[in-house]
Amino acid sequence: MTEAQAKEILRQYYEDVSNGDGFMLVEALEFLIETTKEPRYMHELAWYYASTKHIDLEEKYLLMAAEYDYGPAFEELGYIYYYGQNGVVDYKKAYQFFSKGAKKCEGNDKYWCMYKLADFYHNGYYVKKNEDRYRKMIEKLHDKMKFPKYLSEPYPEVAYRLAKIRIEEKNISNA
């Protein structure tokens, strides 16, 4: 297989997902990973395995992409460990990956990481519960996201949490 052939397999697979050959997709991505070492292919293979409910393989390829400092992998690994999608909730690992993602990611990925980090302080997961820090994090994130561009941004979740904070402060008009 050549790099061009592998990329053609990817193109064909994504053009016709309903009839796409998952085996060939995996072969092409594994070839591209081995030959290019590009973390976006590791990430893409992780997504394939997530869609087929092979969380162990999703985690494997996300960890591989994270070794290359690939930001989107940090966010997704954070969620795997936060919700225990691999069978084990691990708030320490989730916190570490969300923290890396908040630093390395851009756009939506960064916002989702920041949003989840705030939840750690609100719930006292892995870190000491700190409502002041939670409020400041949500307020800062809300300020950054005042004019969301995409439906995939966590703006509704952040706005909802900020409204709850304002209600707790008896500041109903700003809720």
Side-chain angles (χ1 to χ4, degrees):
M1 181 180 303
T2 66
E3 192 171 325
Q5 289 170 326
K7 288 178 180 179
E8 178 60 19
I9 291 169
L10 298 184
R11 188 191 64 72
Q12 288 177 3
Y13 178 83
Y14 292 120
E15 273 186 8
D16 189 14
V17 175
S18 61
N19 292 320
D21 184 351
F23 176 79
M24 288 305 296
L25 176 74
V26 169
E27 290 293 311
L29 285 170
E30 286 179 345
F31 173 82
L32 289 168
I33 290 166
E34 190 174 316
T35 59
T36 69
K37 306 291 189 244
E38 288 189 38
R40 67 186 168 109
Y41 294 126
M42 299 164 195
H43 185 250
E44 197 169 334
L45 188 51
W47 266 98
Y48 171 77
Y49 283 127
S51 74
T52 61
K53 308 290 188 239
H54 290 93
I55 304 303
D56 56 331
L57 293 171
E58 175 193 13
E59 181 183 12
K60 171 186 172 180
Y61 285 98
L62 288 174
L63 287 167
M64 190 183 295
E67 287 178 21
Y68 286 89
D69 223 20
Y70 191 68
F74 297 135
E75 177 205 359
E76 292 167 38
L77 284 164
Y79 277 102
I80 285 174
Y81 298 122
Y82 188 88
Y83 290 110
Q85 294 169 339
N86 62 350
V88 179
V89 172
D90 189 332
Y91 291 128
K92 179 180 180 181
K93 284 183 181 178
Y95 183 87
Q96 291 169 339
F97 281 113
F98 283 134
S99 294
K100 288 177 184 178
K103 293 175 187 163
K104 298 282 184 181
C105 291
E106 296 179 18
N108 290 341
D109 295 333
K110 181 180 197 76
Y111 295 149
W112 282 107
C113 288
M114 293 169 68
Y115 158 73
K116 290 312 289 180
L117 284 172
D119 279 355
F120 276 86
Y121 289 97
H122 180 62
N123 296 311
Y125 296 154
Y126 180 65
V127 296
K128 186 176 178 185
K129 187 172 181 165
N130 186 332
E131 287 298 316
D132 288 334
R133 187 159 185 188
Y134 165 73
R135 285 185 177 101
K136 288 176 184 170
M137 291 173 82
I138 291 296
E139 288 168 350
K140 182 179 177 182
L141 188 53
H142 184 267
D143 288 344
K144 287 181 179 211
M145 300 180 63
K146 273 189 180 171
F147 304 104
K149 296 176 186 169
Y150 306 102
L151 291 174
S152 60
E153 292 180 17
Y155 181 78
E157 290 85 351
V158 172
Y160 175 74
R161 280 172 168 67
L162 185 59
K164 283 179 69 174
I165 290 168
R166 295 296 180 249
I167 290 168
E168 289 171 6
E169 297 171 343
K170 308 282 190 249
N171 189 352
I172 305 300
S173 62
N174 283 332

